[in-house]
Amino acid sequence: MSSHLRLGVNVDHVATIRNARGGRHPDPVRAAKLAIEAGADGITAHLREDRRHIMDDDIARLKAEIGKPLNFEMAITDEMVAIAVKTKPHAVCLVPERRTERTTEGGLDAAESRDQLAPAVARLRDAGIRVSLFIVADPHQIEAAVAVGAPVIEIHTGAWCDALAAGGVAAQAEWKRIQEGARLARRLGLEVHAGHGLDYTSAEIIAALPDIVELNIGHFLVGAAVYDGLRHTVREMRAAMDRGRAMVTQ
Ligand code: PXP
């Protein structure tokens, strides 16, 4: 059996619902604690430049209160690097950010932004923070991650999840890209995570890839919690990932 596959629960969209009305309800920190009780190994939260969901105070409270690793998603800006260095989360995941996008639509162009990335990665690493780059599983992006000194990548699974949901052959090509990318990244010494758009079905499938050690999942879990409650959805996700992991033969 391969290594334990960690589940990071992203609580951004608990904050989206809260912010629809202002005030404190529902509280992403309470949701984070609940997710941990239900089996999450860590919590992920994205402090966007426009503060559309997670706010600065949420990040401070998550770090102080959850008692498990906090994975802080952020754009590569001086403001965010300063917040990360001050907060000292367990991990930072660097993501591209466009104001007009609904969610993180693509991966970082690590190959094109080496000059911007390398000093940010160095500053965060010097602060004792584990840094990952959110990239698509293309060899030149993976090699660029190594070149800028990032110890971890998170593979963007959005295109694969969309293709899987739509049916048809496109999903196979995306799957092959993820499989081969994960293998290459691990061979190059990187730790490999994956996330974006995952649900019970796609998480169970991807859990069978032994090169991947962490999945970060948010929107589906928070959405399904409307029907079943967050405790239940996190437990179901944990079970789906465990079923997938049990298929690993090496
Ligand atoms: N990983 C990263 C880097 C992300 O930007 C997101 C979305 O915020 C996720 C994982 C989680 O994606 P989803 O909410 O679609 O599960």
Side-chain angles (χ1 to χ4, degrees), residues 185-205:
R186 190 165 153 207
R187 205 168 64 232
L188 295 177
L190 296 170
E191 180 173 312
V192 188
H193 303 173
H196 210 283
L198 294 169
D199 60 12
Y200 296 139
T201 306
S202 47
E204 182 169 342
I205 297 170

Side-chain angles (χ1 to χ4, degrees), residues 10 12-13 44 46 48 53 71 73 93-95 103-104 134 154 156 194-198 216-221:
N10 180 315
D12 291 352
H13 297 303
T44 294
H46 184 176
R48 295 184 76 101
H53 38 56
N71 176 32
E73 279 182 24
C93 181
L94 296 174
V95 301
T103 179
T104 313
F134 190 44
E154 180 164 326
H156 196 312
H196 210 283
L198 294 169
N216 285 301
I217 309 178
H219 184 264
F220 173 79
L221 289 173

Side-chain angles (χ1 to χ4, degrees), residues 34-194:
L34 234 151
I36 288 165
E37 274 170 39
D41 299 287
I43 296 299
T44 294
H46 184 176
L47 184 66
R48 295 184 76 101
E49 263 189 291
D50 62 8
R51 310 305 198 262
R52 71 173 71 158
H53 38 56
I54 293 293
M55 312 277 211
D56 299 61
D57 181 54
D58 297 322
I59 293 291
R61 289 178 57 229
L62 285 166
K63 166 72 175 130
E65 295 181 35
I66 60 173
K68 284 268 183 180
L70 171 63
N71 176 32
F72 176 36
E73 279 182 24
M74 54 173 254
I76 315 152
T77 64
D78 291 343
E79 183 201 15
M80 288 300 154
V81 171
I83 293 171
V85 167
K86 183 164 154 257
T87 311
K88 290 204 182 350
H90 170 75
V92 152
C93 181
L94 296 174
V95 301
E97 203 174 292
R98 283 179 289 275
R99 277 186 179 256
T100 51
E101 70 188 355
R102 265 197 233 158
T103 179
T104 313
E105 281 163 3
L108 277 176
D109 193 344
E112 275 299 307
S113 37
R114 283 181 194 211
D115 294 349
Q116 190 195 8
L117 269 170
V121 170
R123 238 189 113 194
L124 294 163
R125 288 190 73 169
D126 287 350
I129 301 166
R130 186 196 71 190
V131 185
S132 74
L133 303 187
F134 190 44
I135 57 174
V136 295
D138 282 341
H140 70 289
Q141 297 295 347
I142 294 164
E143 283 153 11
V146 175
V148 298
V152 183
I153 58 162
E154 180 164 326
I155 293 178
H156 196 312
T157 51
W160 172 61
C161 291
D162 288 347
L164 199 63
V169 291
Q172 283 165 27
E174 287 297 336
W175 177 244
K176 189 161 177 275
R177 185 154 81 130
I178 291 172
Q179 248 181 331
E180 290 175 357
R183 200 172 306 139
L184 170 68
R186 190 165 153 207
R187 205 168 64 232
L188 295 177
L190 296 170
E191 180 173 312
V192 188
H193 303 173

